[in-house]
């Protein structure tokens, strides 16, 4: 059945890994067999009939079927995953004022964009002074 070194108890290593985790299995491999976890893992997969089942995170004998991933949720799982609908709270009146301020700032920005262009690539600012004066603005240089 198993073609391996008779001094290594692979079943004990697998039981330790499956029940107590990787840290304990690593300690067992280091103290009892003077092997790293990776060395023990490679020997286990090469010399035994055990394979790692990714879905369960455990080692299984090749005769024990791996758990295939489920394609669909059952009705019970679907019901448990359902979240209650939250009713939104009434909007405070301060939000109307904030919205008004944002709209005013946006309008001012649009107005300024007709006269001022910024080119970040060439690091230049182009100001249409003639257009500003024609529309009734006074240009003051600082």
């Amino acid at each position: 059945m198993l073609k391996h070194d008779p001094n290594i108890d692979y079943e004990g290593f697998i039981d330790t890994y499956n029940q107590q985790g990787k840290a304990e299995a690593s300690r067992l491999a280091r103290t009892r067999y003077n092997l790293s976890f990776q060395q023990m893992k490679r020997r286990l997969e090469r010399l035994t009939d055990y394979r790692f089942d990714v879905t369960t995170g455990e080692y299984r004998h090749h005769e024990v079927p791996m758990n295939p991933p489920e394609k669909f949720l059952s009705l019970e799982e679907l019901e448990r995953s359902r979240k209650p609908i939250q009713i939104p709270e009434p909007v405070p009146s301060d939000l109307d004022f904030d919205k008004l301020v944002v709209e005013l700032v946006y309008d001012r920005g649009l107005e300024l964009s007709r006269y001022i262009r910024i080119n970040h690539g060439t690091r230049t600012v182009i100001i249409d002074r003639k257009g500003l004066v024609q529309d009734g603005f006074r240009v003051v240089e600082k």
Side-chain angles (χ1 to χ4, degrees), residues 76-125:
E76 292 80 22
E77 291 171 331
L78 187 60
E79 185 66 31
R80 281 194 305 262
S81 68
R82 191 172 78 174
K83 296 178 183 173
I85 298 173
Q86 296 179 356
I87 300 171
E89 296 179 12
V91 178
S93 61
D94 294 340
L95 189 60
D96 293 332
F97 179 75
D98 292 342
K99 185 177 178 182
L100 178 64
V101 169
V102 168
E103 286 178 5
L104 287 173
V105 169
Y106 180 76
D107 288 342
R108 292 289 180 176
L110 274 177
E111 188 174 348
L112 287 174
S113 71
R114 288 190 287 165
Y115 307 109
I116 300 172
R117 303 269 189 259
I118 299 175
N119 187 337
H120 291 282
T122 60
R123 300 183 64 84
T124 57
V125 177

Side-chain angles (χ1 to χ4, degrees), residues 47-66:
L47 301 175
T48 68
D49 295 330
Y50 286 93
R51 299 293 173 256
F52 187 73
D53 184 1
V54 177
T55 57
T56 61
E58 296 179 345
Y59 280 95
R60 303 255 183 242
H61 195 271
H62 77 13
E63 293 174 356
V64 177
M66 301 284 183

Side-chain angles (χ1 to χ4, degrees), residues 15-34:
D15 289 339
T16 302
Y17 181 87
N18 289 345
Q19 294 172 4
Q20 299 174 11
K22 181 180 178 180
E24 190 62 29
S26 180
R27 188 188 65 74
L28 174 72
R30 178 63 60 202
T31 57
R32 187 174 293 170
Y33 306 114
N34 197 24

